[in-house]
Amino acid sequence: MSIATEISRIQTARNGIRTKLTELGLAQPSDGLDALAAAAAGIENRGAVSATVQEGDTYTIPKGYHNGSGTVSGVAGAGSYNLQSKTVTPTKAQQNVTPDSGYYGLSDVTVNAIPESYQDVGAVTAGAGDVLTGKIIVDAAGKTVAGTMPNNGEISKTIDGLTVTSAVIPAGYAAGGTVSLSGDIEAALAAI
């Protein structure tokens, strides 16, 4: 056999391997023999892969070589589905209640009573008069109550010290403020 014949035979074999590996997405149409050999060596031998899936489930077939003797079987419920009963207790966070592996679904879900620690509002001491108008609280009995305390904003008062000796600050919330003495008392004292 001549060298030219041997080179032609190797090129034909390379082209066949390249075509198949390109078709499988493992090589590029321009890859050389070394790259093709590396791609072929990277194919994992999975042998016979078998799996059983429930109706509605999926099974991801692993990447690699399969010898063709594996199976993927579906378990049909035929109206006799394996359902699960679950019990949950409320928490402060959202919960997703789903069946465990091996069950088609839930036959029922029992939700326990709200835990006592979430229900206890007995320590609440604020009343309607302690809360600003327009705000809502829950009282010690667990009822919603609208606040009645007026919001007076910033309060500023002036007294002259002669005819007005005190200032009335209205009941309710104040954002601060001042009570000041006018200069009238100083002028009256200087005149004496």
Side-chain angles (χ1 to χ4, degrees), residues 94-156:
Q94 176 180 322
Q95 300 178 61
N96 293 322
V97 183
T98 58
D100 294 337
S101 179
Y103 293 95
Y104 283 96
L106 297 170
S107 60
D108 63 277
V109 175
T110 301
V111 179
N112 289 331
I114 297 172
E116 190 67 35
S117 61
Y118 295 156
Q119 297 178 37
D120 184 13
V121 291
V124 174
T125 59
D130 300 316
V131 179
L132 288 173
T133 300
K135 303 292 183 180
I136 304 292
I137 62 165
V138 175
D139 67 11
K143 306 271 189 223
T144 58
V145 176
T148 59
M149 179 194 304
N151 186 346
N152 297 318
E154 189 171 318
I155 298 173
S156 294

Side-chain angles (χ1 to χ4, degrees), residues 31-131:
D31 283 349
L33 196 53
D34 291 344
L36 296 174
I43 298 172
E44 189 170 339
N45 185 355
R46 299 285 183 176
V49 175
S50 295
T52 302
V53 294
Q54 296 183 134
E55 187 175 317
D57 285 352
T58 59
Y59 171 71
T60 302
I61 298 170
K63 182 178 179 180
Y65 168 76
H66 300 267
N67 67 15
S69 64
T71 59
V72 176
S73 306
V75 178
S80 178
Y81 299 106
N82 187 18
L83 300 177
Q84 183 180 26
S85 175
K86 280 203 166 176
T87 300
V88 296
T89 299
T91 64
K92 290 184 178 184
Q94 176 180 322
Q95 300 178 61
N96 293 322
V97 183
T98 58
D100 294 337
S101 179
Y103 293 95
Y104 283 96
L106 297 170
S107 60
D108 63 277
V109 175
T110 301
V111 179
N112 289 331
I114 297 172
E116 190 67 35
S117 61
Y118 295 156
Q119 297 178 37
D120 184 13
V121 291
V124 174
T125 59
D130 300 316
V131 179

